[in-house]
Amino acid sequence: MQDKSAFAPPSLLLATIALSLATFMQVLDTTIANVALPTIAGNLGVSSDQGTWVITSFAVCNAIALPLTGWFTRRIGQLRLFIGSVALFTLTSFLCGFAHSMGELIVFRALQGFFAGPMFPMCQTLLLVIFPTSKRSMALALLSMVTVVAPIVGPITGGWITDNYSWPWIFYINVPIGIFAAITVWTQLRAREETTTTAPIDYIGIALLVLGVGLLQVVLDKGNDLDWFSSQTIIVMSVISAIALVSFVIWELGEKHPIVNLRLFTDRNFAIGTTSLTLGYAAFFAINIILPQWLQTQMGYTAIWAGLAAAPMGFLPLLLTPIIGRYASKFDLRILATLSFMTMAASCLIRAQFNTDVDFRTIAQVQMFMGIGVAFFFMPITTIVLSNLHGAEVAEGSGLATFFRVLGGSFASSLTTWIWSRREVFHHANLTESVSVYNPAAADYLQKMGGVTQQHLAVVDKTIEQQAYMMSTIDYFWILGWGFMVLTVVIWFARPPFVRSGAPGAPAASGH
């Protein structure tokens, strides 16, 4: 029987390339500016703390836009929303590069983040539309590869462009890619019919969403800088955010035309899949934060070498994606997700055996091993998330799941730095207690250095600091490893079959 929800573009290859490029560009932009922040702040004459708003403004507006994707889809249509988002993202990218002050850059980055919001969910939705039913696992596997590779390439590319050209080019490179993607996708899919609806606008829901999610994202981005709840600002924003989000959930569940369809969580597979996606991605994201940070601050790696040590993680997903996409439908997807979580858990527990003598090759090999788990992560779980969704629910579910995935990454970013620093302080205090003239081993060590002097004590303290950070890193990898093991249990609460609607049943053209 023919799948009426599918649409065959003139060139499936060209449409896929354009959709993937647009998504790659958008995901890349979430990390590419990070390494250029000191240069941007210096060139625009502001402090490093002010410069971080370049990242925060993007993250806040991106987080607000993601849950609105379903509503935008109903009002505008899938194709028009995607084309409009890519075009406006491209325009604001150009304006970011053209900015002459930090104020202008922050405003343009905020707009860029908002327009970036619908791009990933719409790419996922349109790929499910254009691929025949038998090959939709391949489409999701391809998108998962883009999701994995882009954040790895981002910091390396951003550092290289900043060092060899100038920081505006990290934004200007989006312009030709965006123009190509928008024109190509439009020409390939414009013949597809779409039906839109004009339901009343839920202004109260929008206001509560913007207030709650916006402040939550600011709290997560600025919490470490302001020492969390020692700051009156963080306390006030956290309380307002919590009240707004609780009110938002209550309001949306009782609203006839909600701005965000929270009722999707009544579907078991969507709820379990989104939970697994959020927590799994948060742990995955935490690895990508703590490893380069430890290598650069404690092991003497440059940003480029730290990036190269982490990069092998993306190698195996590139090779395995076509195989997984082709044969995944023959397996229970919970088995593939379990394989993913167990492999990533094993990689974390192996890292928990590291010491300060670990070499580049060992770090890179463990990263490559984790790539097996990453390759099996996104596609099976995304398929489970969408498996029971129909029609317009696919776009709504994709946007909502992506929102929670991004929010999980934000929590991971904040908590990783906080836990890592706190555990270092704990281990540093314990190790320092042993450094005393009354401890024969410590006294002998200092005597071999030439006696107890300020210079020698400073050297010892530096050694203790390095070891304390090493112990803190080990602690965190133990936490992440056991966290992945817990997810191997959670995913089994999903209920097969996973081959209806969303994964292979694709969204219908109608917006009902």
Side-chain angles (χ1 to χ4, degrees):
M1 188 172 75
Q2 186 179 5
D3 185 355
K4 295 180 180 179
S5 67
F7 172 82
S11 171
L12 179 61
L13 177 63
L14 199 56
T16 303
I17 290 172
L19 285 166
S20 301
L21 270 177
T23 304
F24 184 84
M25 169 182 71
Q26 182 261 313
V27 178
L28 186 78
D29 242 60
T30 60
T31 58
I32 195 171
N34 295 21
V35 293
L37 276 185
T39 304
I40 294 173
N43 288 359
L44 296 179
V46 299
S47 67
S48 297
D49 287 345
Q50 290 173 296
T52 58
W53 281 101
V54 172
I55 306 299
T56 303
S57 59
F58 182 96
V60 168
C61 292
N62 187 250
I64 291 171
L66 275 167
L68 295 174
T69 299
W71 182 80
F72 282 134
T73 303
R74 294 193 298 270
R75 300 277 296 194
I76 302 172
Q78 296 165 357
L79 180 60
R80 283 191 290 273
L81 176 58
F82 181 79
I83 299 299
S85 298
V86 172
L88 291 169
F89 178 86
T90 304
L91 174 62
T92 49
S93 294
F94 174 79
L95 293 174
C96 285
F98 195 69
H100 294 295
S101 70
M102 182 55 70
E104 289 180 10
L105 180 57
I106 289 171
V107 169
F108 295 141
R109 276 286 282 177
L111 291 172
Q112 187 192 36
F114 186 83
F115 297 132
M119 287 173 63
F120 183 89
M122 282 301 95
C123 175
Q124 187 167 269
T125 303
L126 291 173
L127 281 173
L128 289 173
V129 167
I130 64 175
F131 270 74
T133 304
S134 60
K135 295 184 178 179
R136 280 173 183 158
S137 293
M138 179 70 78
L140 291 176
L142 173 67
L143 195 58
S144 72
M145 181 182 69
V146 171
T147 308
V148 170
V149 173
I152 299 171
V153 173
I156 299 174
T157 306
W160 183 80
I161 290 174
T162 304
D163 291 342
N164 292 278
Y165 296 95
S166 59
W167 67 263
W169 283 98
I170 65 177
F171 300 111
Y172 287 149
I173 60 171
N174 290 339
V175 175
I177 298 172
I179 292 173
F180 168 79
I183 292 174
T184 303
V185 173
W186 174 253
T187 56
Q188 292 293 314
L189 276 72
R190 63 183 176 182
R192 178 174 179 262
E193 294 182 5
E194 289 190 323
T195 303
T196 57
T197 59
T198 53
I201 300 175
D202 178 15
Y203 290 108
I204 294 178
I206 293 175
L208 291 172
L209 175 71
V210 170
L211 185 63
V213 172
L215 287 179
L216 175 61
Q217 192 67 51
V218 173
V219 167
L220 293 174
D221 274 25
K222 295 296 182 182
N224 283 307
D225 296 337
L226 299 177
D227 196 20
W228 291 101
F229 296 106
S230 300
S231 164
Q232 190 71 25
T233 303
I234 292 294
I235 292 173
V236 170
M237 287 195 295
S238 299
V239 171
I240 296 174
S241 174
I243 293 171
L245 289 174
V246 171
S247 302
F248 171 75
V249 171
I250 295 170
W251 176 267
E252 291 298 283
L253 290 176
E255 174 65 17
K256 186 177 180 181
H257 301 286
I259 197 74
V260 177
N261 187 6
L262 296 178
R263 295 180 184 90
L264 292 176
F265 282 102
T266 59
D267 175 69
R268 180 171 177 167
N269 285 357
F270 181 80
I272 295 298
T274 301
T275 300
S276 300
L277 178 67
T278 302
L279 297 178
Y281 183 79
F284 164 73
F285 198 78
I287 296 169
N288 292 334
I289 292 169
I290 194 172
L291 188 68
Q293 198 168 334
W294 170 62
L295 291 176
Q296 289 179 69
T297 60
Q298 303 303 317
M299 299 295 286
Y301 283 59
T302 63
I304 296 295
W305 277 102
L308 291 174
M313 179 181 63
F315 179 68
L316 287 178
L318 283 173
L319 297 179
L320 293 174
T321 291
I323 301 171
I324 294 171
R326 183 171 182 179
Y327 296 107
S329 59
K330 300 181 184 297
F331 297 90
D332 185 329
L333 295 181
R334 294 173 299 181
I335 295 176
L336 300 185
T338 299
L339 173 63
S340 168
F341 292 139
M342 292 190 70
T343 304
M344 289 198 277
S347 73
C348 289
L349 298 179
I350 292 170
R351 291 189 195 93
Q353 310 300 318
F354 282 179
N355 56 47
T356 52
D357 293 327
V358 67
D359 57 16
F360 176 91
R361 182 177 178 178
T362 303
I363 295 168
Q365 285 175 339
V366 177
Q367 286 293 101
M368 183 173 287
F369 170 69
M370 190 178 79
I372 299 171
V374 173
F376 283 93
F377 176 62
F378 286 97
M379 191 285 292
I381 294 180
T382 302
T383 305
I384 291 171
V385 167
L386 302 177
S387 59
N388 289 336
L389 306 187
H390 303 266
E393 289 178 343
V394 174
E396 294 175 333
S398 179
L400 201 52
T402 305
F403 162 71
F404 278 100
R405 174 173 65 79
V406 171
L407 195 63
S410 297
F411 269 100
S413 180
S414 296
L415 291 176
T416 295
T417 306
W418 182 73
I419 293 172
W420 194 51
S421 300
R422 289 300 177 97
R423 293 299 294 173
E424 186 277 333
V425 171
F426 170 78
H427 288 301
H428 193 284
N430 285 343
L431 292 172
T432 303
E433 290 178 0
S434 302
V435 181
S436 165
V437 292
Y438 301 108
N439 182 333
D444 183 58
Y445 183 79
L446 287 167
Q447 197 61 41
K448 289 179 179 178
M449 292 178 69
V452 181
T453 66
Q454 285 297 114
Q455 183 180 0
H456 294 157
L457 288 173
V459 171
V460 170
D461 186 66
K462 185 65 179 176
T463 302
I464 289 174
E465 179 183 322
Q466 185 185 31
Q467 293 299 325
Y469 270 113
M470 182 74 258
M471 294 168 75
S472 176
T473 304
I474 290 170
D475 289 346
Y476 202 60
F477 278 124
W478 273 112
I479 294 171
L480 294 176
W482 286 107
F484 279 121
M485 293 298 286
V486 170
L487 289 176
T488 62
V489 177
V490 172
I491 196 64
W492 283 90
F493 284 95
R495 181 183 296 161
F498 305 117
V499 292
R500 298 197 302 272
S501 329
S510 66
H512 69 281

